[in-house]
Amino acid sequence: MFEIGGKRLKSRLFVGTGKLPDYSLIEKMYYEAGIEVFAVAVRRIGPNTKHTKNVLEYIPKDATIMVNTSGAQDHKEAVKIAMIGRELTDSDWVKVEIEKDTKYLFPDSFETLKACEILVKEGFKVFPYIYPDLNLAKELEQIGVEAVMPLGSPIGTNKGIGCEVLLKPIINEIKIPVIIDAGIGRPSHAAQAMEMGAEAVLINTAIATSADPLKMAIAFAKAVEAGRLAFEVGILKEYEYAQASSPLEDFISG
Amino acid sequence: MLIRVNDKEMEFCGNILELVLSLNLNPKTCAVLVNGEIVKKDDWESFVLKDGDYVEIVSFVGGG
């Protein structure tokens, strides 16, 4: 068990629900992969929209909903989406994701900071999606966000932990949890994030677009658990030359 | 009376609750913004739409 955002959770694997072929997979992931946190987005629904199904109807009632402000271009839109989220759910968990560019989907740090300031004051549990930027992470910690969510690599690229040298200082220097979000494409990437000391990871594309999302969710859940156990024990240092595992004396002769 | 709903113009007379129901949407899982401002659910029945109002109906979809 660990505590985050005022909740006690067992699973350190958070899952995004975008691109899922079928929302009924959410319930299966909850029961069979032990996923407890599901990210969702707010979009127009009804006439002349692509979206006709409401994802909330598919999320088990004991699961935690993380409202993602994706689609917001500035802090005002992000705050509005968070308010809508609170109006429609009991959840005060909000992932602040603000992007102006759609090619790389890099988070806008200035707008993210502004949105977080407002949302923390409004009583939300705030989880900002950020660049792996230690100074920004420190600012956000001061403001009072619950955790920071730096990207491993750009959203949906499956490239994994592309910037370990930038992520590690954040994990080492701030006291609030670090959740590695975006770009994680394989269970081994997730294990790597956990070995580094991340509190949790958030995966969407790698699970949702796989040939069998439930099986992949289980694979990720196991990888996250393995990585975390290894972190808790302590990863051993690397050596330049071989270090014998068996004793190097009293060999048999001839 | 002409209003705009999710960027499409439509003829409608009535309050927000009536609009949502007429579009076969579940009022429990939708939020409504009129001219960019969220209207609380408790106010849906008393909020009568005016000519030229811009209505956005939003809900939750899969997202990361």
Side-chain angles (χ1 to χ4, degrees):
Chain A
M1 289 288 241
F2 72 112
E3 268 192 53
I4 192 163
K7 288 180 187 268
R8 287 177 69 78
L9 299 172
K10 287 197 280 285
S11 177
R12 293 173 182 272
L13 172 59
F14 298 176
V15 170
T17 57
K19 305 184 203 167
L20 273 176
D22 179 358
Y23 287 159
S24 66
L25 284 160
I26 294 170
E27 195 175 25
K28 292 193 177 101
M29 284 196 250
Y30 178 76
Y31 287 108
E32 292 175 46
I35 314 293
E36 295 163 292
V37 177
F38 293 97
V40 299
V42 172
R43 291 290 181 274
R44 290 172 177 177
I45 191 164
N48 318 307
T49 66
K50 202 175 123 212
H51 303 287
T52 50
K53 281 189 177 166
N54 185 325
V55 72
L56 288 188
E57 290 164 29
Y58 297 83
I59 297 180
K61 68 172 175 41
D62 290 332
T64 295
I65 295 168
M66 178 183 262
V67 174
N68 183 354
T69 68
S70 73
Q73 299 262 314
D74 59 29
H75 69 281
K76 285 183 186 158
E77 286 180 15
V79 168
K80 197 179 279 184
I81 291 169
M83 298 289 185
I84 292 167
R86 200 155 64 176
E87 166 89 1
L88 287 180
T89 69
D90 292 333
S91 180
D92 54 3
W93 279 35
V94 60
K95 170 178 164 184
V96 175
E97 180 176 332
I98 302 174
E99 292 130 351
K100 284 179 188 151
D101 105 275
T102 53
K103 186 173 180 185
Y104 298 102
L105 294 172
F106 284 145
D108 185 309
S109 304
F110 306 106
E111 294 294 330
T112 300
L113 196 59
K114 279 189 218 165
C116 290
E117 276 174 325
I118 297 168
L119 290 170
V120 167
K121 281 188 192 136
E122 291 284 339
F124 285 90
K125 301 280 194 293
V126 184
F127 297 78
Y129 170 61
I130 60 167
Y131 273 118
D133 174 339
L134 177 60
N135 293 319
L136 177 62
K138 281 184 174 169
E139 284 282 324
L140 290 162
E141 181 180 32
Q142 286 262 314
I143 286 170
V145 301
E146 296 299 317
V148 289
M149 304 180 78
L151 57 90
S153 45
I155 293 174
T157 57
N158 299 325
K159 288 177 187 282
I161 309 295
C163 41
E164 186 167 351
V165 291
L166 301 181
L167 288 167
K168 207 62 202 268
I170 299 177
I171 292 171
N172 292 343
E173 300 301 327
I174 67 170
K175 291 181 188 71
I176 54 172
V178 176
I179 301 168
I180 310 285
D181 180 8
I184 293 178
R186 306 176 187 190
S188 55
H189 297 153
Q192 185 191 350
M194 299 310 295
E195 285 172 3
M196 284 164 57
E199 193 80 3
V201 293
L202 191 144
I203 317 285
N204 188 345
T205 303
I207 292 175
T209 64
S210 73
D212 185 338
L214 176 60
K215 202 166 185 176
M216 194 56 106
I218 293 168
F220 268 100
K222 290 183 177 190
V224 165
E225 210 169 314
R228 180 66 193 185
L229 285 174
F231 169 74
E232 286 171 3
V233 172
I235 303 291
L236 301 178
K237 72 171 186 177
E238 295 177 11
Y239 295 96
E240 190 66 25
Y241 301 108
Q243 307 285 315
S245 309
S246 312
L248 281 177
E249 67 276 349
D250 299 331
F251 292 116
I252 59 166
S253 62
Chain B
M1 197 181 81
L2 216 52
I3 60 171
R4 253 190 321 145
V5 180
N6 291 348
D7 280 340
K8 197 195 172 193
E9 290 197 325
M10 64 181 275
E11 275 289 338
F12 181 81
C13 281
N15 64 42
I16 293 176
L17 182 64
E18 288 162 345
L19 174 69
V20 169
L21 293 173
S22 75
L23 296 169
N24 293 320
L25 297 169
N26 181 353
K28 279 188 192 148
T29 55
C30 294
V32 173
L33 293 90
V34 178
N35 303 322
E37 297 294 326
I38 304 168
V39 180
K40 292 232 173 262
K41 237 165 238 182
D42 295 345
D43 301 331
W44 279 13
E45 264 192 281
S46 59
F47 198 115
V48 176
L49 293 161
K50 299 188 305 293
D51 194 46
D53 271 346
Y54 173 45
V55 181
E56 281 175 292
I57 304 174
V58 298
S59 193
F60 283 100
V61 300

